[in-house]
Amino acid sequence: MLVDKKKKKRSAEVPTSSLADMAFLLLIFFLVTTTIDVDKGIGLVLPQKGETIEIRKRNISNLLVNAEGRVMIDDQIVEISMLKSIVQRKLAENDKLIISIKTDANTKYRYYIQVLDQLKQAWGNKKTRISIAEPER
Amino acid sequence: MEFKKKSKADAGIPTASMPDIIFMLLIFFMVATVFKEFRGIPVRLPAARKIEKLPGKRNVAYIWADDRDRISIDDKFVEIREISKLMYVKCNDELSPLRVVSMKIDERAKMGFVTKIQEELREAGGGALNVNYATKTASK
């Protein structure tokens, strides 16, 4: 009869077959969004206050950076991207070389970092020998 | 002869506990996720190639400086001449003495200003002499 047919057995359980898939999706979302934030940058050790060392003139290369980001090393105007190879050549001649960076007070920090990056690359894994002069007013 | 040893071993991986394992992983990542928290002032970092990682977050002081000569340390705007004192205090902290100073300076900042900050760090001495110019990784 019609009444009997309505007494169907309905499943009262929550379907769990797709649970794993759902958890996987969430897992992947969090995997992708997780950023393990690491601070990175160019390391440098500043000299102690009042610490001055006498350096022989022939061991110093003067590197000047002007306000427009133009670079001059030992009276030669060069591109920033060329610095690495130039400094490497100088280092091959004289491994006691110290580069003295002098910037203008209006030089943008960006150029300074670019120069520093090039010098760091030139030295490779050896200790970088840089001197930072007071900026020109 | 009879080969009775051909027992049928179940070769399937049991999947009943898979949701549990995945949930565990999920919970781990949910807990470990830090949605980029921002402290400091908005700066545009310069890019560089030869960069090194900072050794963890402890014992690191952050100095934020932007192109309008504003400096922020520990979520507070500070004057340039206050830096040396602040850093000196951090260096002599007994629990976690300062080891590295991470300088988050805007790429448009002027060198005259950056040098003033460095002079202050030299004044403080100790761990404040170890500076790290925060940069982005330059694309090739």
Side-chain angles (χ1 to χ4, degrees), chain A residues 3-48:
Chain A
V3 190
D4 283 348
K5 264 196 180 169
K6 275 195 177 167
K7 270 192 179 171
K8 229 183 187 175
K9 248 203 181 166
R10 281 210 190 147
S11 159
E13 274 164 45
V14 181
T16 53
S17 57
S18 56
L19 198 68
D21 303 328
M22 284 174 356
F24 249 130
L25 270 177
L26 278 169
L27 175 62
I28 286 160
F29 169 73
F30 279 100
L31 264 170
V32 171
T33 52
T34 298
T35 43
I36 298 165
D37 201 20
V38 190
D39 283 300
K40 48 199 181 330
I42 297 175
L44 199 71
V45 182
L46 299 174
Q48 203 69 246

Side-chain angles (χ1 to χ4, degrees), chain B residues 26-119:
Chain B
L26 175 62
I27 286 160
F28 168 74
F29 277 100
M30 278 174 73
V31 171
T33 298
V34 181
F35 286 102
K36 194 116 185 174
E37 63 181 279
F38 189 79
R39 27 186 67 231
I41 42 181
V43 291
R44 221 163 64 186
L45 293 176
R49 275 192 204 134
K50 181 94 182 149
I51 52 179
E52 46 201 75
K53 280 177 191 158
L54 275 182
K57 299 230 181 222
R58 265 175 236 149
N59 306 334
V60 177
Y62 294 92
I63 297 180
W64 301 77
D66 69 359
D67 53 330
R68 273 179 283 167
D69 295 4
R70 291 183 301 184
I71 303 165
S72 163
I73 298 172
D74 294 335
D75 296 336
K76 275 187 291 252
F77 282 117
V78 294
E79 296 287 322
I80 282 193
R81 60 200 142 73
E82 292 174 65
I83 295 175
S84 62
K85 219 204 295 174
L86 270 169
M87 289 299 141
Y88 185 77
V89 170
K90 278 179 189 281
C91 282
N92 292 300
D93 192 313
E94 275 182 20
L95 284 173
S96 61
L98 181 68
R99 295 249 167 74
V100 187
V101 177
S102 178
M103 304 232 274
K104 300 199 181 252
I105 302 177
D106 195 287
E107 60 175 17
R108 292 160 294 181
K110 302 265 163 60
M111 274 314 288
F113 171 60
V114 175
T115 313
K116 271 187 215 154
I117 298 174
Q118 283 178 353
E119 284 303 311

Side-chain angles (χ1 to χ4, degrees), chain A residues 44-62:
Chain A
L44 199 71
V45 182
L46 299 174
Q48 203 69 246
K49 189 95 183 172
E51 187 182 296
T52 44
I53 320 163
E54 298 265 319
I55 308 161
R56 282 208 199 142
K57 211 151 198 171
R58 62 188 174 93
N59 287 341
I60 296 183
S61 272
N62 283 305

